[in-house]
Amino acid sequence: MPRDERIKKVLVIGSGPIIIGQAAEFDYAGTQACRELKKEGLEVVLVNSNPATIMTDKNMADKIYIEPLTVETIKKIIDKERPDSILPNLGGQTGLNLAMELAESGFLREKNVRLLGTGTEGIKNAEDRQAFKDMMESINEPCIASKVVENIDDAVEFAKGIGLPVIVRPAYTLGGTGGGIAYTIEELEEIAGSGLRLSRVHQVLIEKCITGWKEIEYEVVRDKNGTCITVCNMENIDPVGVHTGDSVVVAPSQTLSDKEYQMLRTSSIKIISALKIEGGCNVQFALNPTSFEYAVIEVNPRVSRSSALASKATGYPIAKVATKIAIGYTLDEIKNEVTGKTYACFEPVLDYVVVKIPKWPFKKFLTANRDLGTQMKATGEIMSIATNLEAALMKGVRSLEENVDCFRLDKLRDYTKEEIEERLKKVDNERLFVIAEAIRREISVDRIHEITTIDRFFIGAMYKIIRMEKELELNQMNSRMLLKAKKIGFTDKLISKISRKSEEEIKALRKEYNILANFKMVDTCSAEFEAQTPYYYSSYDEGNEAISEGNSKKVMVLRIRTN
């Protein structure tokens, strides 16, 4: 079907300032939306309160309003600009909440402004805790034992009935704002009170705590014809209990059997279809690690921070596709810009491993509580790509720009083995470093799993990294060992430090043994089709996919580190 010709002028709502619990991913999505709308010849009006974003660059929209993101402000802009449509689902929770308030008050209907993409009923069924629970029950999708409450007394009464601890999840908030895990009645009263105050509809879900289950996400896209694809599935290294924005995430999932993968994929498509989502959607599951039991945690009926990760991880531009769907196109009409041949209805294929590690602002807030829970504290994240999990983790830790080149913190060297084991019980931003130190102290994989409930597969990946450190420290350097170290992400500088050789010696040995970096391609289709605009990641595996073609002029853009 062609683009909806009734759409001439679109109001795009941004996400506002970059704050704790809401990083820059939504600015990325909104920027893509503005560009796609302008490509289609539509007039774009943008409102965003943050001038320090790419989104508010003067070339992104025809009219840009840097104003407070409030209902009254949006009403004034609509009265002045007279848009025929509003795009709410690419500005994070802020844009979605504002659009819903305008729609529910009758203002959009009064001004003949259409809500593009997912309708108000679909958004409500996903965001309203009771409506979502009812919807899941109607399609026989399992939810965790829970109850929606609107006052503290009801929250306490239900929690006493199912037993503590419980998770508090406010409706219509972002990054778990106002929520948390309550282990006592006093904590429940405090967290529930905060959640009720911050919820747009004064509503929280009190949910049985299933800390320790695996947390799995599916990024799904659907068009108005009901065509659905799963763009990417992701697995949190941290089990349920840590907000996914504060979790180390791996794509694709690493520990699921094919049966588990297909079971959750089928469920995510069933859910997005029942909600009648049009565009991108993120479905989060909890999976019992000892059985096939699962439960739906929540659904984000909008482009989310996970969408930005999935887009970069796969090369599939979710924000662009969601924008095209919002203005009437279907998945089989939207070209894949990477291949130039396939269409957006083709599911991406990953032949590599992606790791996301959050970035926290604790260096700026020295006295802040670093414990991680259901309320997000990260302000950003890094992403690394490699052909194996170990190399992706090693690239990731270097990308954090914390002046570390491996999973080692100097301050942990002074801890005794018993203190390290006790430290494993603490869930904070240093968790992976503590696990690495525990392995160095010969605490077993089984014991670390018992304390952290992190899957043994992920602990095993850390074990391989630490074992490589010991090999480099104790053995004579040879070509086999050097190649192995490079393949799992060790830099020349790190190898030099551990093996007590100079960095120049390591580089010379690499050249002598012909151990050189290659570049692999991210092309959305695992090389099944020729890529027109791929991007690359470095690897020490055989085969270089970055082959220069043609004599056209080229420009190299360098990113300079400032720290």
Side-chain angles (χ1 to χ4, degrees):
M1 297 180 184
R3 174 173 67 78
D4 189 336
E5 295 298 333
R6 293 174 297 174
I7 302 171
K8 307 291 183 184
K9 189 174 186 179
V10 182
L11 174 64
V12 177
I13 304 177
S15 59
I18 297 169
I19 58 176
I20 294 173
Q22 178 169 319
E25 293 89 345
F26 303 109
D27 178 48
Y28 163 80
T31 299
Q32 300 303 311
C34 290
R35 283 175 170 164
E36 286 305 304
L37 293 172
K38 284 178 71 67
K39 277 184 188 177
E40 291 292 329
L42 301 175
E43 188 176 351
V44 180
V45 179
L46 169 68
V47 55
N48 197 345
S49 61
N50 185 4
T53 66
I54 299 171
M55 194 182 196
T56 49
D57 184 270
K58 63 181 181 180
N59 297 317
M60 287 297 165
D62 298 287
K63 297 281 185 67
I64 297 173
Y65 288 86
I66 300 176
E67 297 286 350
L69 292 175
T70 64
V71 170
E72 290 307 313
T73 299
I74 307 298
K75 283 182 176 180
K76 290 177 182 177
I77 293 170
I78 290 174
D79 281 333
K80 181 180 179 182
E81 294 293 340
R82 298 292 181 182
D84 53 66
S85 308
I86 185 170
L87 186 63
N89 59 351
L90 290 153
Q93 197 67 43
T94 302
L96 202 69
N97 285 353
L98 287 168
M100 284 298 287
E101 288 188 47
L102 291 166
E104 289 172 353
S105 69
F107 182 80
L108 296 184
R109 184 173 60 253
E110 177 190 330
K111 300 297 180 179
N112 294 316
V113 178
R114 298 171 58 205
L115 203 64
L116 297 180
T118 304
T120 54
E121 184 180 355
I123 294 171
K124 182 180 178 182
N125 284 336
E127 291 284 344
D128 184 284
R129 293 299 181 181
Q130 187 61 56
F132 178 70
K133 186 180 177 184
D134 294 342
M135 170 67 78
M136 292 304 99
E137 289 176 355
S138 72
I139 61 174
N140 297 316
E141 284 297 324
C143 287
I144 305 158
S146 61
K147 183 179 181 180
V148 176
V149 300
E150 296 181 349
N151 60 70
I152 294 174
D153 290 341
D154 287 349
V156 171
E157 182 182 350
F158 181 72
K160 286 180 177 178
I162 63 172
L164 294 165
V166 295
I167 297 178
V168 180
R169 299 187 187 276
Y172 288 95
T173 65
L174 178 71
T177 300
I181 300 177
Y183 294 92
T184 65
I185 294 299
E186 291 74 20
E187 287 179 349
L188 175 59
E189 290 174 341
E190 181 182 347
I191 297 169
S194 173
L196 290 167
R197 186 180 72 255
L198 293 169
S199 170
R200 187 179 73 84
V201 292
H202 199 70
Q203 182 190 89
V204 298
L205 183 77
I206 307 300
E207 181 180 271
K208 180 67 179 175
C209 185
I210 52 169
T211 299
W213 285 28
K214 295 180 182 181
E215 186 160 350
I216 312 292
E217 298 179 71
Y218 278 74
E219 198 67 35
V220 196
V221 174
R222 179 182 180 273
D223 65 22
K224 63 185 177 184
N225 287 348
T227 302
C228 294
I229 69 161
T230 54
V231 176
C232 183
N233 92 311
M234 295 164 274
E235 179 174 3
N236 291 10
I237 288 181
D238 297 283
V240 171
V242 177
H243 190 280
T244 187
D246 278 340
S247 293
V248 179
V249 177
V250 181
S253 59
Q254 301 291 297
T255 72
L256 300 191
S257 66
D258 183 61
K259 182 177 179 180
E260 289 169 327
Y261 171 84
Q262 297 297 344
M263 174 180 72
L264 298 182
R265 179 183 181 276
T266 299
S267 176
S268 64
I269 290 175
K270 183 180 176 184
I271 291 167
I272 193 175
S273 299
L275 292 169
K276 295 183 172 59
I277 299 293
E278 292 183 20
C281 179
N282 174 258
V283 186
Q284 296 175 22
F285 296 98
L287 176 66
N288 191 326
T290 60
S291 71
F292 290 105
E293 181 185 4
Y294 74 91
V296 184
I297 297 175
E298 66 180 5
V299 171
N300 291 310
R302 54 174 170 77
V303 171
S304 66
R305 71 178 57 80
S306 296
S307 307
L309 173 63
S311 293
K312 291 295 183 185
T314 62
Y316 187 102
I318 294 173
K320 288 184 180 182
V321 171
T323 303
K324 293 269 194 185
I325 289 172
I327 58 176
Y329 289 106
T330 54
L331 286 168
D332 60 335
E333 296 173 326
I334 303 169
K335 270 273 181 77
N336 181 327
E337 293 182 6
V338 174
T339 64
K341 297 181 179 67
T342 58
Y343 288 82
C345 53
F346 283 67
E347 292 192 350
V349 180
L350 280 68
D351 55 359
Y352 46 84
V353 179
V354 173
V355 166
K356 178 217 85 176
I357 304 179
K359 285 179 69 70
W360 292 276
F362 296 133
K363 280 190 174 181
K364 297 177 181 177
F365 302 96
L366 298 178
T367 60
N369 183 348
R370 297 184 178 216
D371 292 347
L372 304 179
T374 61
Q375 186 167 333
M376 182 178 165
K377 295 181 178 180
T379 51
E381 60 193 35
I382 62 86
M383 186 190 89
S384 60
I385 310 179
T387 52
N388 59 76
L389 177 58
E390 294 79 18
L393 284 167
M394 290 294 280
K395 281 186 179 182
V397 75
R398 294 196 300 273
S399 299
L400 288 172
E401 299 182 347
E402 297 286 347
N403 294 319
V404 293
D405 51 10
C406 63
F407 289 96
R408 185 188 290 275
L409 291 181
D410 290 339
K411 67 179 182 181
L412 295 177
R413 292 181 179 181
D414 297 330
Y415 283 51
T416 65
K417 183 177 179 179
E418 291 72 25
E419 287 172 332
I420 288 293
E421 189 165 324
E422 187 64 27
R423 184 73 168 73
L424 283 169
K425 299 174 184 177
K426 187 176 178 62
V427 182
D428 64 8
N429 62 308
E430 296 175 346
R431 199 179 200 187
L432 285 182
F433 294 92
V434 177
I435 289 172
E437 194 62 35
I439 294 169
R440 291 188 187 98
R441 306 298 179 88
E442 298 183 347
I443 298 173
S444 70
V445 169
D446 285 341
R447 180 58 179 153
I448 296 171
H449 166 73
E450 182 185 341
I451 295 171
T452 65
T453 67
I454 291 174
D455 194 279
R456 289 178 179 86
F457 178 84
F458 297 119
I459 302 170
M462 296 295 293
Y463 179 83
K464 289 178 186 177
I465 292 170
I466 305 308
R467 187 174 62 188
M468 189 73 249
E469 288 181 2
K470 291 183 177 178
E471 282 189 42
L472 290 168
E473 186 176 11
L474 299 175
N475 298 315
Q476 187 70 28
M477 184 68 67
N478 57 44
S479 60
R480 182 200 62 81
M481 188 189 303
L482 185 53
L483 178 60
K484 183 180 176 182
K486 295 305 292 183
K487 279 190 172 184
I488 65 171
F490 280 60
T491 62
D492 290 352
K493 182 180 179 181
L494 180 59
I495 295 170
S496 164
K497 190 189 305 182
I498 297 171
S499 64
R500 295 179 295 278
K501 293 181 180 293
S502 70
E503 199 170 338
E504 288 70 26
E505 285 181 274
I506 299 300
K507 286 181 180 177
L509 282 172
R510 277 204 303 106
K511 289 181 180 179
E512 180 184 337
Y513 299 144
N514 197 32
I515 300 173
L516 305 174
N518 288 312
F519 290 89
K520 303 290 185 178
M521 185 185 298
V522 174
D523 59 5
T524 78
C525 61
S526 190
E528 190 173 342
F529 297 90
E530 184 181 354
Q532 303 298 315
T533 56
Y535 53 91
Y536 300 90
Y537 62 95
S538 63
S539 166
Y540 279 84
D541 287 33
E542 293 181 1
N544 184 26
E545 297 174 1
I547 300 171
S548 179
E549 294 181 3
N551 297 314
S552 58
K553 292 183 178 180
K554 299 174 183 178
V555 175
M556 176 181 283
V557 179
L558 298 178
R559 185 257 188 189
I560 307 299
R561 286 181 60 165
T562 56
N563 63 333

